[in-house]
Amino acid sequence: MSGARRLSRGGLIDRSQIIKFRFNGKAYTGHPGDTLASALLAQGVRLFGRSFKYHRPRGVVGAGAEEPNALVQVGEAGYSTPNLRATQVELYDGLSAQTVNGWPSLKHDVGAINSMFSRILPAGFYYKTFMWPRSAWMRYEHFIRKAAGLGRTPELPDPDIYDKRHIHCDILVVGAGPSGLIAALTAARSGARVVLADEQTQFGGSLLCTSSTIGGLRAVDWVKKMVDELRTFSEVKLLNRSTVTGYFDHNFLTINERRTHHLASGDSDPRMSRERLWRVRAGEVVLATGAIERPLVFDGNDLPGVMLSSAVTTYIRRYAVAPGKTGVVFTNNDSGYQAAIDMAWAGMEVIAIVDSRRSPGTSVVKEAEALGIPIYKGHVISSARSGSEGLNRVELSTWCRSTGELTAHKGMIDCQVLALSGGLSPVVHLHSQSGAKPVFDSHVAAFLPGASVQKERSVGACNGTFDLGDCFREGIQGALAAANVRGFSAIGVDIPATDYKQHAPIEALWEVPSNILDGARAKKFVDYQNDTTASDIRLAAREGYRSIEHVKRYTALGFGTDQGKLGNINGLAILAKTLNKEPGDVGTTTFRPNYTPVTFGAIAGRNLGSELFDPVRKTAIHPWHVKRGALFENVGQWKRPWYYPRPGESMLDAVNRECLATRASVGVLDASTLGKIDIQGPDTAEFLNRIYTNGWTNLLPGRCRYGFMLGEDGMVMDDGVTTCIASNHYLMTTTTGGAAAVMGWMERWLQTEWPDLKVYLTSVTDHWSVMSVAGPQSRAVLEAAGCDVELDSQSFPFMSVREGKIGDISSRISRISFSGELAFEISVDANYGMALWQTVMDAGRAYDITPYGTEAMHVLRAEKGYVIVGQDTDGSVTPNDLGMDWIVSKNKDFIGKRSLFRADTIRPNRKQLVGLLTDDPKTVLPEGAQLVNSPQNSRPVPMIGHVSSSYYSASIGRSIALALVKGGRARMGSTIFAQLMDDHIVPAVVVDPVFYDPENERTKS
Amino acid sequence: MLEIECPWCGPRDQDEFSYGGEAHIVRPLSPENLNDREWGDYLFFRDNKKGQHAEQWCHAAGCRRWFNVIRDTVSYRIVSVYRSGDSSSGESP
Ligand SMILES: [Zn+2]
């Protein structure tokens, strides 16, 4: 291993600065402009990881997003990120990276033993292990998981912040290579609002690693000129380090911008987000996503030192790294020759260009011959061999295209680097994600964009256009067309002059034939990351798999973090050949978002934790509850006091005390969270008639009424008390959790079905603070608090409402009760909520006024048999099931009425609400417990219902429960049984659900 | 994510809307005169169209108005948008 791979000239790196970093614990150096991969290659590192299944040693294959092998875990503790491609990780001082799949160590990998057993780990191994006796999986799981793992999940919370932004534009240009840059400039000059996004550090794409000139300028200088002009437009947004990862409906795209990944931990502003997810709505999209080179498939094509020819060019030209001393090119098209020319420029000994074609393009042949590079036309590399440091020899053979067989062995060539070019696959991922179907083109031997489904067009290499001049032309035309659609008349951009090369066409070579003796044992890798070989694909076909989607799942082809960017096209072409089809007839697998993996942090953005993900709603009296030591219960978004324990009290102690104090003297409940809807308009009473099951036309101002709302299916949906304030003005209350749904439900009926009704709804839940004062002393407390309303039952009867003052505070007081006691519900402007609460508490001190929480509220109402919608009902319960026919009007239609007479809703033996008393008064049944007829049952046991509410009632001195039981009302007095999870069976007697004050004397007192 | 043109507010992200299912299901004027099958048809049965589908949307996080959308269930293209009570051609009936 030596550091001598760095070239002394060229490249886009800053040799004046040294960056120190660690890889697998060892110290290395690099320069600004390097990636982790280029810096390691510069220091002679060849082994970057081990393969997933066979644990074969693997090196860097690519130079960008396509890299399948060189996956690393970067950073420590909470900052750790798994499965990054070393080819895309920018170097920074102090960077620390580990190989993700080299357990226990990269050099001595116990998993490599899998290599020897590769014949028993064929395609479908995992699949069969999953599907066949469970015990097989249990046996292998531990080993497979540990040995196969790709990276480690960080175990600490991520300390970084992530954010999202929305952006609208006329034209989104994806990719800032030659086609994208010129398209963006054309669009910008038209005056359109343009976003240009590119995944790389710098704009330029392939121009960052080319030796050719553009319009007389070095390519990188031409790029700079373009970017400089783009920066002058105020309506142009330039996003580098930004991968367009998803293309969704209606031209909605997501861009994952990495903002601080490239900075050392001390160098970034901690307030700056690490990543940003841009949510883009684009008028038109110009895709200029380029192309990815394919490897060639032959025995040993995965050895460290075998690389894509485009990657060889990139390492030499952009990073000034010669990946070895000696090189061979193996190609089936003209573009591979560039790697040979660049290797020669880098001072490497280029031993051969092996071209599977007989007639390469004249331009490239002339260039290579001028450099003295031998060209073997009509030859192939039939296998590659390794020494201790990866590739060291390749086997040269002749072959016959028509028989598809090797014809002669032509000897072995020693070399450290083998540059492969199996042709260019246009990056049609986003085009495909947009809903379009790529089509196979045999001239370029690849899939090209098909007809657009959304407002997008592809230009340049991603459209199968590989000549630079043609790319410019297409970029300009694409942008002009897009600008025109958006109503901009574009001026256009002159096509810069480029070197023109005479190209000969590619001749597809999907799999290099094997020499007969080695045929069965040949390891020809199609998907490097998942160790899918050509023979795995043939095996899948032999076992009956025909669809590429099924073969994908059976062989794991394309299942890696790279989603088969290198292997998929070769794989489907090999399948096609096995099935005697054309690649276009097999088709591609579906390209899905995201193009490259996106962190959960970026997806979550700021939607983290309870503070920001979901708003927390607190009442005006909340601070008082906190001070008083209340424990809180979440009800929807609301925080409600659950109970107020005194020192040393258990929950049961506190709830018992709160219930007894309310029944004996007076209790107070913060009821502010109840949904409140202000309803106005001359047709309000008619509207309420249609929405509620009971009648509303005769409700006078100053009176209120309890109502049930049903769904159109007849099932109870919500309940609450509605007050008539004036003949055209009502105030509806809903359950705390149901407020928004009820509001939306009523709005929908008004807008879509009854637009003729003059009724107007306003949500006023947060406008009012509400406290319920309940208990025999509640009247006395209100008087003591300075209430100026006559409170006696004659002047202020049950279910009526008065306006008045309590002290100085304007109040609306309702005589309603959910506790079964004499009670007053006081509503005040929320700004006065705390003042009112304090006033009442002060006045109540003489009566031992006791705040109670939702738990006591539940016990008090259950003692009275009052249901809670959503607890004692579950969307399958009618008013009749609850024994509440009295609330259902016979004289009018209302939502859900017809459903109350469907065959199923009038069926006898429906589940009905009953009370349950356990034989043992101390036993409190668990809520949700299933009820059965008999303590001895053969299985399956017929269930007859379940417990919906269950408490210990201090007032009654025993446990009580509400339950929904089949034919329950006919079972009064009989014993049924609760079947508990722990196999206990608890007998209980069916009783009336009203346990306390059945005559309602206390409420009306 | 769809982009839906609210007839009151203009084009907005789907995030702002809630879906209401098939449009133009008229509530029977006299439910009590319907037999169980007829009421069941109104209550439970909806078209599951491949192609152009009339559906209700509500601009829930905006103006809170319900309106109608003709949407192609294959391509998701929105063919037209019109207010409740209007016809799909944009005319009041
Ligand atoms: Zn709107």
Side-chain angles (χ1 to χ4, degrees):
Chain A
M1 195 180 286
S2 73
R5 301 262 182 266
R6 184 74 77 182
L7 304 176
S8 56
R9 60 177 177 143
L12 304 178
I13 51 162
D14 177 1
R15 290 181 178 76
S16 68
Q17 291 185 56
I18 304 286
I19 294 176
K20 292 180 179 168
F21 69 98
R22 301 183 80 81
F23 176 62
N24 286 337
K26 195 164 178 256
Y28 294 90
T29 59
H31 299 295
D34 261 329
T35 62
L36 180 58
S38 69
L40 288 169
L41 282 174
Q43 302 191 46
V45 174
R46 302 190 91 189
L47 185 54
F48 276 73
R50 294 231 171 223
S51 70
F52 189 69
K53 197 159 91 178
Y54 302 131
H55 288 242
R56 286 168 68 101
R58 293 280 165 82
V60 174
V61 172
E66 73 282 1
E67 175 58 37
N69 291 340
L71 301 182
V72 290
Q73 181 126 5
V74 177
E76 306 290 343
Y79 293 97
S80 182
T81 310
N83 297 337
L84 294 176
R85 293 152 299 283
T87 52
Q88 291 186 302
V89 173
E90 286 180 57
L91 224 49
Y92 55 82
D93 220 35
L95 178 144
S96 164
Q98 284 86 40
T99 308
V100 297
N101 46 0
W103 172 78
S105 82
L106 195 53
K107 287 235 160 173
H108 308 282
D109 184 342
V110 297
I113 202 161
N114 280 7
S115 274
M116 296 177 217
F117 291 121
S118 64
R119 290 171 132 208
I120 60 160
L121 288 172
F125 169 74
Y126 292 103
Y127 179 79
K128 287 166 179 165
T129 309
F130 280 124
M131 299 299 291
W132 284 356
R134 238 173 89 80
S135 57
W137 171 242
M138 306 303 265
R139 204 173 324 131
Y140 297 131
E141 182 193 11
H142 178 72
F143 171 72
I144 290 173
R145 280 201 197 284
K146 194 165 182 185
L150 277 177
R152 287 166 288 112
T153 308
E155 284 168 11
L156 294 173
D158 188 341
D160 281 311
I161 57 168
Y162 298 80
D163 65 8
K164 292 181 192 176
R165 284 187 66 178
H166 293 251
I167 191 167
H168 293 256
C169 62
D170 293 303
I171 299 170
L172 168 65
V173 181
V174 185
S179 320
L181 273 177
I182 210 154
L185 187 63
T186 306
R189 285 187 184 171
S190 78
R193 177 180 286 189
V194 177
V195 173
L196 173 62
D198 189 279
E199 67 178 348
Q200 299 209 51
T201 310
Q202 287 169 271
F203 285 167
S206 60
L207 299 180
L208 298 173
C209 39
T210 180
S211 52
S212 46
T213 58
I214 300 168
L217 294 174
R218 287 199 314 155
V220 284
D221 294 329
W222 182 84
V223 169
K224 184 174 181 307
K225 196 180 119 195
M226 300 290 285
V227 175
D228 285 346
E229 185 179 343
L230 281 167
R231 282 191 211 287
T232 63
F233 296 95
S234 60
E235 291 297 298
V236 171
K237 180 92 197 159
L238 300 176
L239 294 172
N240 60 332
R241 295 189 179 98
S242 298
T243 310
V244 179
T245 53
Y247 197 139
F248 304 90
D249 296 315
H250 293 191
N251 266 21
F252 178 77
L253 296 96
T254 50
I255 303 177
N256 181 210
E257 181 187 6
R258 294 166 296 278
R259 307 181 75 210
T260 67
H261 282 238
H262 59 291
L263 300 175
S265 55
D267 291 353
S268 62
D269 183 338
R271 292 165 302 179
M272 184 166 167
S273 58
R274 178 171 171 84
E275 295 182 26
R276 174 170 285 167
L277 191 73
W278 291 86
R279 297 158 64 91
V280 189
R281 186 73 73 177
E284 295 284 322
V285 174
V286 176
L287 297 173
T289 47
I292 292 176
E293 198 163 43
R294 291 188 297 271
L296 287 156
V297 179
F298 56 92
D299 184 23
N301 65 341
D302 66 327
L303 297 175
V306 179
M307 302 171 87
L308 298 174
S309 77
S310 56
V312 170
T313 288
T314 301
Y315 288 114
I316 292 171
R317 290 288 178 180
R318 179 168 173 188
Y319 300 109
V321 176
K325 283 183 186 151
T326 51
V328 168
V329 168
F330 178 21
T331 186
N332 66 346
N333 68 93
D334 285 359
S335 66
Y337 285 67
Q338 187 61 44
I341 294 159
D342 291 329
M343 285 194 282
W345 178 84
M348 290 171 66
E349 187 189 346
V350 186
I351 298 158
I353 294 173
V354 179
D355 193 327
S356 62
R357 303 170 299 172
R358 298 199 171 276
S359 318
T362 50
S363 299
V364 291
V365 167
K366 206 185 289 172
E367 258 186 284
E369 280 173 347
L371 293 167
I373 303 172
I375 301 173
Y376 296 87
K377 299 174 192 171
H379 282 60
V380 293
I381 300 292
S382 45
S383 70
R385 302 271 188 271
S386 64
S388 60
E389 292 288 323
L391 177 76
N392 66 0
R393 270 187 311 159
V394 295
E395 180 193 39
L396 185 68
S397 298
T398 52
W399 76 304
C400 172
R401 177 171 289 278
S402 53
T403 62
E405 283 172 11
L406 299 181
T407 48
H409 173 77
K410 291 288 181 179
M412 304 299 289
I413 304 174
D414 287 350
C415 65
Q416 293 179 329
V417 175
L418 176 58
L420 300 182
S421 182
L424 293 169
S425 297
V427 176
V428 294
H429 297 62
L430 294 175
H431 167 78
S432 171
Q433 286 180 28
S434 79
K437 284 232 175 310
V439 289
F440 189 78
D441 183 302
S442 55
H443 297 294
V444 295
F447 282 86
L448 299 185
S452 293
V453 172
Q454 297 201 41
K455 296 167 182 168
E456 53 88 25
R457 62 201 81 218
S458 297
V459 297
C462 73
N463 196 34
T465 304
F466 301 127
D467 178 79
L468 190 54
D470 292 341
C471 286
F472 285 140
R473 188 171 300 110
E474 237 175 64
I476 294 166
Q477 283 167 354
L480 285 176
N484 274 333
V485 175
R486 298 298 293 174
F488 297 94
S489 48
I491 309 150
V493 175
D494 291 334
I495 299 173
T498 53
D499 314 329
Y500 178 74
K501 290 180 182 176
Q502 176 64 52
H503 278 278
I506 184 174
E507 288 176 18
L509 175 58
W510 303 114
E511 181 186 353
V512 179
S514 302
N515 111 26
I516 311 287
L517 293 174
D518 280 342
R521 307 184 59 132
K523 279 266 165 275
K524 303 175 181 179
F525 287 92
V526 176
D527 182 321
Y528 291 122
Q529 200 174 100
N530 283 324
D531 274 350
T532 309
T533 64
S535 56
D536 287 335
I537 293 168
R538 276 191 291 275
L539 174 66
R542 272 205 307 283
E543 295 195 2
Y545 292 89
R546 292 292 178 269
S547 151
I548 185 66
E549 295 285 2
H550 294 158
V551 170
K552 169 182 173 173
R553 281 151 185 80
Y554 194 63
T555 63
L557 169 71
F559 256 129
T561 61
D562 60 339
Q563 293 184 64
K565 288 186 176 63
L566 294 186
N568 277 1
I569 308 295
N570 283 334
L572 73 88
I574 290 167
L575 177 68
K577 197 177 163 207
T578 312
L579 301 176
N580 282 320
K581 288 181 176 178
E582 292 302 311
D585 299 328
V586 169
T588 62
T589 52
T590 310
F591 294 89
R592 298 183 199 281
N594 290 305
Y595 174 68
T596 45
V598 177
T599 62
F600 283 113
I603 293 166
R606 303 299 300 275
N607 297 336
L608 285 176
S610 56
E611 293 297 310
L612 289 165
F613 187 65
D614 201 23
V616 172
R617 298 172 82 180
K618 296 170 180 169
T619 74
I621 305 147
H622 187 83
W624 191 95
H625 305 315
V626 173
K627 213 168 141 193
R628 191 60 179 258
L631 295 181
F632 289 88
E633 180 181 29
N634 295 327
V635 184
Q637 295 165 331
W638 287 101
K639 294 276 175 206
R640 297 199 71 177
W642 191 15
Y643 59 97
Y644 302 79
R646 288 180 178 165
E649 272 187 342
S650 68
M651 176 173 174
L652 185 63
D653 295 338
V655 171
N656 286 349
R657 173 179 51 74
E658 290 170 16
C659 289
L660 289 172
T662 304
R663 295 254 183 259
S665 179
V666 60
V668 280
L669 174 79
D670 183 354
S672 305
T673 62
L674 283 183
K676 295 175 272 296
I677 300 170
D678 183 276
I679 311 179
Q680 301 197 34
D683 298 321
T684 302
E686 170 59 22
F687 173 67
L688 294 175
N689 258 343
R690 298 182 188 185
I691 285 288
Y692 276 129
T693 57
N694 45 347
W696 291 80
T697 29
N698 60 358
L699 187 71
L700 297 171
R703 300 287 294 178
C704 57
R705 186 167 285 171
Y706 176 74
F708 251 175
M709 258 175 228
L710 309 184
E712 192 75 295
D713 59 1
M715 304 303 153
V716 175
M717 190 181 91
D718 205 82
D719 68 343
V721 170
T722 291
T723 299
C724 178
I725 293 168
S727 62
N728 59 356
H729 186 188
Y730 292 71
L731 186 71
M732 172 184 284
T733 60
T734 72
T735 57
T736 297
V742 169
M743 176 86 182
W745 159 256
M746 295 198 301
E747 275 181 342
R748 185 171 186 185
W749 284 109
L750 282 171
Q751 290 180 34
T752 63
E753 203 68 32
W754 307 320
D756 51 310
L757 291 186
K758 290 189 173 63
V759 177
Y760 307 95
L761 311 176
T762 311
S763 168
V764 294
T765 300
D766 299 87
H767 302 38
W768 297 91
S769 266
V770 182
M771 71 184 292
S772 177
V773 187
Q777 297 299 344
S778 55
R779 189 177 278 128
V781 170
L782 259 63
E783 278 163 4
C787 178
D788 66 359
V789 173
E790 294 290 333
L791 295 173
D792 63 279
S793 243
Q794 293 279 287
S795 20
F796 192 176
F798 186 55
M799 297 309 275
S800 57
V801 180
R802 298 289 179 266
E803 307 272 344
K805 288 205 165 192
I806 294 177
D808 294 333
I809 306 168
S810 298
S811 308
R812 176 181 296 142
I813 308 169
S814 312
R815 264 205 69 184
I816 54 180
S817 174
F818 196 47
S819 57
E821 295 298 328
L822 168 69
F824 298 88
E825 204 172 272
I826 312 166
S827 303
V828 298
D829 180 324
N831 292 316
Y832 294 92
M834 184 69 101
L836 173 81
W837 185 273
Q838 204 60 62
T839 303
V840 172
M841 292 308 291
D842 289 347
R845 197 165 296 136
Y847 301 92
D848 186 27
I849 192 165
T850 302
Y852 66 95
T854 48
E855 190 65 19
M857 175 191 85
H858 276 108
V859 178
L860 295 170
R861 65 90 202 177
E863 288 168 351
K864 287 291 294 175
Y866 296 152
V867 297
I868 290 196
V869 173
Q871 175 163 346
D872 303 296
T873 71
D874 60 3
S876 70
V877 176
T878 67
N880 179 278
D881 296 341
L882 297 172
M884 293 175 72
D885 266 350
W886 55 267
I887 206 169
V888 177
S889 168
K890 305 264 183 297
N891 308 320
K892 55 151 196 168
D893 188 29
F894 55 85
I895 299 296
K897 182 178 188 181
R898 175 63 186 80
S899 289
L900 299 179
F901 304 97
R902 292 175 54 233
D904 187 63
T905 41
I906 55 175
R907 166 173 63 83
N909 211 31
R910 282 182 65 85
K911 287 186 187 173
Q912 295 168 332
L913 185 79
V914 295
L916 285 184
L917 292 176
T918 49
D919 287 3
D920 172 11
K922 288 200 193 71
T923 302
V924 180
L925 291 168
E927 286 173 356
Q930 292 293 320
L931 300 168
V932 297
N933 267 322
S934 150
Q936 270 105 33
N937 287 293
S938 57
R939 297 181 186 199
V941 183
M943 303 295 171
I944 60 168
H946 69 273
V947 176
S948 59
S949 293
S950 180
Y951 311 95
Y952 182 78
S953 163
S955 309
I956 300 164
R958 60 154 300 137
S959 65
I960 58 168
L962 300 176
L964 288 158
V965 177
K966 281 183 182 170
R969 287 198 288 273
R971 292 174 183 262
M972 289 297 159
S974 66
T975 296
I976 59 174
F977 301 86
Q979 172 85 51
L980 305 190
M981 295 287 281
D982 61 3
D983 273 353
H984 265 80
I985 292 183
V986 181
V989 178
V990 178
V991 297
D992 188 88
V994 183
F995 300 96
Y996 185 81
D997 185 25
E999 272 69 49
N1000 265 344
E1001 281 167 5
R1002 302 176 70 91
T1003 311
K1004 293 176 180 167
S1005 63
Chain B
M1 179 163 56
L2 307 184
E3 184 179 56
I4 300 168
E5 180 144 1
C6 170
W8 280 269
C9 308
R12 295 288 191 279
D13 278 353
Q14 183 185 346
D15 277 0
E16 295 186 16
F17 297 86
S18 60
Y19 182 64
E22 188 178 347
H24 310 307
I25 306 287
V26 179
R27 187 170 196 270
L29 286 175
S30 306
E32 68 278 10
N33 295 335
L34 302 184
N35 63 31
D36 275 7
R37 172 171 291 278
E38 291 163 337
W39 179 250
D41 278 347
Y42 155 71
L43 193 55
F44 299 121
F45 285 84
R46 297 294 181 268
D47 283 349
N48 185 17
K49 250 188 215 165
K50 183 176 182 181
Q52 295 199 357
H53 184 240
E55 54 199 23
Q56 290 185 326
W57 287 82
C58 174
H59 193 188
C63 64
R64 298 195 63 83
R65 302 292 293 177
W66 283 90
F67 58 93
N68 301 307
V69 173
I70 306 280
R71 186 177 62 96
D72 189 306
T73 57
V74 179
S75 68
Y76 291 3
R77 194 172 72 88
I78 290 179
V79 180
S80 68
V81 167
Y82 51 101
R83 299 178 180 193
S84 284
D86 289 356
S87 70
S88 58
S89 58
E91 312 273 313
S92 295

